Amino acid sequence: MLQTAAQALLKKQYFPKILNDLQSDLTLLAIKSALSPTAKKIYLDIFKGSYHYSTTGSGIAMVFAGMSGFGGN
């Protein structure tokens, strides 16, 4: 799911939708306590509103840069 969000950002898809979809997917994993430490940080940052809606999505794009091995999908 994080890879899907990263690909959507690269395709410059609508950022608020990407963020909303990612939050929904991560919430399901959080309820099951199935988040990796990396995914947990991303989820908490989304929940706290750390990522601002912009046309570029640069805030959340930085999260995906160089990351691998995160939980979920």
Side-chain angles (χ1 to χ4, degrees):
M1 85 186 54
L2 295 177
Q3 291 173 347
T4 301
Q7 290 171 354
L9 287 170
L10 291 173
K11 293 178 182 177
K12 301 189 186 292
Q13 294 178 356
Y14 187 58
F15 181 66
K17 180 181 181 338
I18 296 168
L19 194 59
N20 185 53
D21 291 349
L22 185 57
Q23 182 176 6
S24 295
D25 292 341
L26 291 175
T27 297
L28 295 174
L29 292 174
I31 290 169
K32 298 176 187 176
S33 297
L35 291 175
S36 71
T38 301
K40 188 181 294 185
K41 181 186 179 331
I42 293 169
Y43 176 71
L44 290 174
D45 286 346
I46 292 171
F47 187 76
K48 290 188 302 187
S50 297
Y51 303 113
H52 302 284
Y53 288 42
S54 70
T55 57
T56 64
S58 59
I60 198 168
M62 294 175 66
V63 170
F64 295 109
M67 286 191 164
S68 62
F70 29 77
N73 281 340

